[in-house]
Amino acid sequence: MAITTKPIAVEGHDWQLYTLINKNKMSVSFLNYGGIITEIITPNKVGVKENVVLGYRDYADYLNNKTYFGALIGRVAGRIENSTFVINGDTYHVPEGENGHSLHGGPGGLHTKVFEIETLEHETSTEAVLYYTSEDGDQGYPGTVTYKVSYVLADDNTFTIRYEAVSTKDTVLTITNHSYFNLSGNLKETILDHDIILDASQFVELDEELIPTGKILPVSGTTFDFTQGRTVRGAVDSTDPQNKVALQGYDHYFIFDDTKSDAVIIKDPKSGRKLTVQTDQPGMVMYTSNSLDDSLTLQEAPSQKYLGVCLETQSSPASLIHDGFPSVFLPKNEVYRSKTSFRFEVE
Ligand code: G6D
């Protein structure tokens, strides 16, 4: 096991690239900027090690990371309707994005922050701890929030992200990681034929602006039923209005049935790679890179639609408007804790 670091000078910014390596030579690389995961190297069924996440070829492109490749997302992952919420009778207005709705913590969200890094070697894992303090009023949110995020790579090829945060005032917060996974290896294929199982019998209906309507729908009998396994290809020509609002893909919050089981299992038959996700979060936005075009230069290939699948485990900002959704409220001085693990295997 090892941890290496490399200076990355980008347009006047002095970043550090960290790489966690386990005993099987699986590795996870990330920047201290945004905690951005730039590469995850895992073996395929014949032992060939290849990258399984989307990342830019030129690190400078992360300065304008509108796709949020690999980034930590906060204070509130997802969309806040009309960029407005109320806490204890006080109304807050945070930076507006598309159609006046705030996305992923705003233009100065967690994906743009430089973290302090501490590295630790354990008996069967290597760990990097990322620290950042977001001042009261940052991006319009109340409370000074101290973040502590751990990236842990274990010798059983499980990569775990543990999140902790505490605020000096009542606030709203749900943080995630926005990596785009592609198990084909070095972006050889799209994710259209990845076989995906989700432990979710319900999902959240969206309007044309990708804002939750407040309705929670059953997946049964629809292209959103991944309970027995399904590929994203089924959405490409789907007439389901919910696939249509997501540009013939998925961009939806799935509500997990049981947070003790495997929340997500993704298999790529060609490479033999299997990714199993476990989380303590009540749900996850699955985004199938529906709005990716060919304009971005990634490490191994140009970007394209359906090139990666994001598994944004989190609570739901819809809870700021509607009852019955997993809350993003964080009381003053209460420690927010969340954990999601990604286990890579071959079959
Ligand atoms: C699009 O709607 C999607 C988001 O879910 C995603 O996070 C972003 O692109 C990268 O806005």
Side-chain angles (χ1 to χ4, degrees), residues 66-68 79 103-104 178 180 210 251 287 291 312:
K66 293 196 182 329
T67 53
Y68 303 88
R79 284 180 170 82
L103 176 65
H104 289 342
H178 206 295
Y180 292 60
L210 299 170
D251 197 353
Y287 171 57
S291 42
E312 301 158 55

Side-chain angles (χ1 to χ4, degrees), residues 130 132 145-150 162-166 173 175 335-338:
L130 294 77
Y132 182 75
V145 173
T146 305
Y147 293 92
K148 176 183 175 185
V149 179
S150 291
R162 284 199 306 270
Y163 305 89
E164 278 188 23
V166 64
L173 184 135
I175 41 189
V335 179
Y336 166 96
R337 285 193 177 87
S338 161

Side-chain angles (χ1 to χ4, degrees), residues 46 59 79 83 111 130 186 190 212 214 222 259 276 285 297 309 338:
V46 293
Y59 288 112
R79 284 180 170 82
S83 307
H111 63 290
L130 294 77
N186 294 348
T190 68
T222 77
T259 54
T276 303
V285 169
T297 305
V309 55
S338 161

Side-chain angles (χ1 to χ4, degrees), residues 30-337:
F30 68 92
L31 294 167
N32 62 334
Y33 175 73
I36 292 173
I37 294 172
T38 59
E39 203 175 58
I40 297 180
I41 303 293
T42 74
N44 68 5
K45 60 190 172 188
V46 293
V48 177
K49 290 184 179 54
E50 297 166 309
N51 179 31
V52 295
V53 291
L54 276 58
Y56 290 111
R57 187 169 64 190
D58 182 346
Y59 288 112
D61 288 340
Y62 285 113
L63 281 169
N64 185 27
N65 190 13
K66 293 196 182 329
T67 53
Y68 303 88
F69 285 144
L72 289 171
I73 304 291
R75 292 192 187 184
V76 173
R79 284 180 170 82
I80 294 178
E81 187 172 351
N82 299 323
S83 307
T84 306
F85 56 87
V86 177
I87 299 178
N88 305 329
D90 295 326
T91 299
Y92 296 87
H93 197 81
V94 291
E96 295 185 7
E98 230 168 48
N99 302 309
H101 310 301
S102 191
L103 176 65
H104 289 342
L110 216 47
H111 63 290
T112 68
K113 308 299 191 187
V114 177
F115 289 77
E116 290 301 314
I117 310 291
E118 175 193 11
T119 57
L120 303 160
E121 300 254 12
H122 306 295
E123 201 169 319
T124 59
S125 63
T126 53
E127 177 178 8
V129 187
L130 294 77
Y131 298 95
Y132 182 75
T133 297
S134 163
E135 295 304 329
D136 181 22
D138 186 5
Q139 299 302 297
Y141 290 86
T144 294
V145 173
T146 305
Y147 293 92
K148 176 183 175 185
V149 179
S150 291
Y151 285 166
V152 185
L153 178 60
D155 283 340
D156 66 353
N157 286 11
T158 299
F159 175 58
T160 299
I161 306 179
R162 284 199 306 270
Y163 305 89
E164 278 188 23
V166 64
S167 175
T168 57
K169 291 180 183 174
D170 287 352
T171 193
V172 289
L173 184 135
T174 185
I175 41 189
T176 193
N177 179 272
H178 206 295
S179 291
Y180 292 60
F181 296 97
N182 179 324
L183 302 184
S184 67
N186 294 348
L187 311 185
K188 283 197 283 296
E189 319 255 347
T190 68
I191 53 103
L192 281 173
D193 294 315
H194 282 26
D195 184 57
I196 300 176
I197 297 174
L198 300 182
D199 179 37
S201 51
Q202 295 178 303
F203 74 104
V204 171
E205 182 186 64
L206 299 176
D207 68 16
E208 300 72 36
E209 295 181 350
L210 299 170
I211 292 296
T213 63
K215 268 193 195 165
I216 294 176
L217 302 176
V219 303
S220 177
T222 77
T223 54
F224 287 74
D225 187 350
F226 288 85
T227 54
Q228 305 305 314
R230 174 182 292 274
T231 66
V232 172
R233 190 173 291 280
V236 174
D237 299 320
S238 164
T239 56
D240 188 318
Q242 287 300 300
N243 287 128
K244 291 198 172 303
V245 297
L247 304 177
Q248 298 309 133
Y250 300 88
D251 197 353
H252 294 75
Y253 189 81
F254 288 82
I255 299 173
F256 294 132
D257 294 335
D258 168 9
T259 54
K260 305 260 185 310
S261 66
D262 294 339
V264 184
I265 298 174
I266 302 181
K267 295 179 184 177
D268 171 47
K270 270 192 184 171
S271 68
R273 288 190 177 93
K274 175 182 176 183
L275 168 59
T276 303
V277 178
Q278 293 194 339
T279 184
D280 58 10
Q281 290 303 288
M284 169 188 85
V285 169
M286 179 165 80
Y287 171 57
T288 50
S289 45
N290 319 313
S291 42
L292 263 193
D293 57 23
D294 61 2
S295 63
L296 304 176
T297 305
L298 309 185
Q299 280 197 68
E300 301 88 357
S303 56
Q304 63 172 300
K305 189 166 183 173
Y306 305 122
L307 193 56
V309 55
C310 302
L311 309 170
E312 301 158 55
T313 52
Q314 61 175 96
S315 280
S316 170
S319 59
L320 293 169
I321 307 275
H322 305 287
D323 294 335
F325 286 75
S327 174
V328 299
F329 179 66
L330 179 65
K332 169 182 173 180
N333 297 330
E334 184 176 293
V335 179
Y336 166 96
R337 285 193 177 87

